[in-house]
Amino acid sequence: MLNDNRVRIIIGHYGSGKTEFSVNYAINLAEKGKKVALADLDVVNPYFRSREKFKLLQSYGIEVESSYVEGSGTDLPSISAGILGPMQNESYDFVMDVGGDSMGARTLGRYHEYLVEGKYDMFCVVNANRPETQTVEGVIHHIQSIERTSRAKVTGLINNTHLLRHTTVEDVLKGQELCRQVSKELNIPIKYVSAIESVAKDLPKDLEGQIMPIKMIMREDWM
């Protein structure tokens, strides 16, 4: 993950685990001694937002930017101007958690002028157990609709195929095959294979992409 470009944009359909991955990814960077900022750009879906873990992220020294108005209990359909700081300041490792569909990606489009090709990565989180991304055609349609709206290019895939705490090795391997086919069609690599820690330890070591064990941070134990 240290070899990724400094600005990392994380996209993925609703239920893909995009935010779970983003939060774990940011924490991993912080644990490696990086100066990290995370932007919650999801102004469409009010549930399982990365900004909900503000205090946890702050405890790791991670700066959080979002559309939430502190003390109001509400969000605005816009993002704080503070996002431009870590976007332009090269001392930051910057993670951007973007809305789950092309409508949500419109927020990213406003920063197009700051996203220089070769200076950012945009990773698409794929969950092969979600209806919209169960097929190669579905994943490609999702990627292309995000790219059109955001005017940014996907540079890598993340296999995050899961059934929450009921995830099995077989689920992840099913998703890996789907990602392999999408990778071949679009000529973009599989960058990460993420799974809960109990599953990640049993995955084959020769999978394409870095295996990234993740903690269930966004969902409480009772969920």
Side-chain angles (χ1 to χ4, degrees):
M1 67 192 310
L2 298 180
N3 294 326
D4 298 335
N5 282 308
R6 184 184 67 83
V7 175
R8 292 96 156 172
I9 303 161
I10 313 298
I11 66 167
H13 224 296
Y14 302 114
S16 65
K18 163 186 65 70
T19 295
E20 194 75 84
F21 179 87
S22 298
V23 169
N24 275 269
Y25 187 95
I27 290 174
N28 279 335
L29 285 171
E31 289 179 330
K32 289 176 171 59
K34 296 294 184 177
K35 181 180 178 181
V36 182
L38 184 149
D40 179 353
L41 269 71
D42 193 342
V43 298
V44 177
N45 180 20
Y47 304 107
F48 302 110
R49 299 274 303 276
S50 51
R51 59 93 169 159
E52 294 173 10
K53 299 301 177 181
F54 174 82
K55 290 184 178 179
L56 173 67
L57 292 164
Q58 193 176 47
S59 73
Y60 285 94
I62 298 170
E63 181 179 318
V64 180
E65 298 290 345
S66 77
S67 59
Y68 182 67
V69 181
E70 188 173 358
S72 69
T74 60
D75 290 90
L76 294 175
S78 61
I79 302 295
S80 165
I83 191 176
L84 293 179
M87 183 173 282
Q88 298 178 87
N89 186 336
E90 295 189 0
S91 69
Y92 282 92
D93 278 65
F94 192 29
V95 180
M96 304 171 73
D97 177 8
V98 179
D101 60 11
S102 58
M103 292 293 289
R106 287 184 178 178
T107 305
L108 180 61
R110 67 179 290 190
Y111 302 107
H112 172 69
E113 63 184 289
Y114 301 101
L115 297 175
V116 179
E117 188 172 349
K119 298 291 186 180
Y120 71 89
D121 278 305
M122 184 156 79
F123 299 143
C124 180
V125 177
V126 177
N127 180 357
N129 287 327
R130 296 299 297 171
E132 302 86 350
T133 53
Q134 287 182 336
T135 65
V136 173
E137 294 76 16
V139 177
I140 291 176
H141 173 75
H142 176 61
I143 288 173
Q144 292 177 340
S145 65
I146 294 284
E147 288 181 333
R148 283 193 300 270
T149 304
S150 67
R151 294 182 290 170
K153 285 290 185 181
V154 170
T155 62
L157 301 173
I158 299 167
N159 174 19
N160 189 49
T161 300
H162 68 87
L163 287 170
L164 300 175
R165 293 180 179 85
H166 302 290
T167 305
T168 65
V169 168
E170 288 70 28
D171 287 316
V172 178
L173 295 181
K174 178 180 74 172
Q176 189 73 2
E177 175 58 22
L178 175 62
C179 286
R180 188 192 66 78
Q181 294 179 48
V182 173
S183 173
K184 183 178 179 181
E185 288 287 328
L186 298 182
N187 194 31
I188 51 179
I190 301 172
K191 293 289 293 186
Y192 294 98
V193 181
S194 65
I196 54 175
E197 294 168 314
S198 59
V199 173
K201 65 180 178 60
D202 293 329
L203 291 174
K205 306 306 179 188
D206 59 350
L207 295 178
E208 180 184 351
Q210 178 181 336
I211 295 175
M212 182 173 166
I214 61 173
K215 294 180 171 64
M216 296 285 285
I217 294 173
M218 297 306 301
R219 287 180 178 267
E220 306 299 336
D221 289 342
W222 57 267
M223 289 184 175

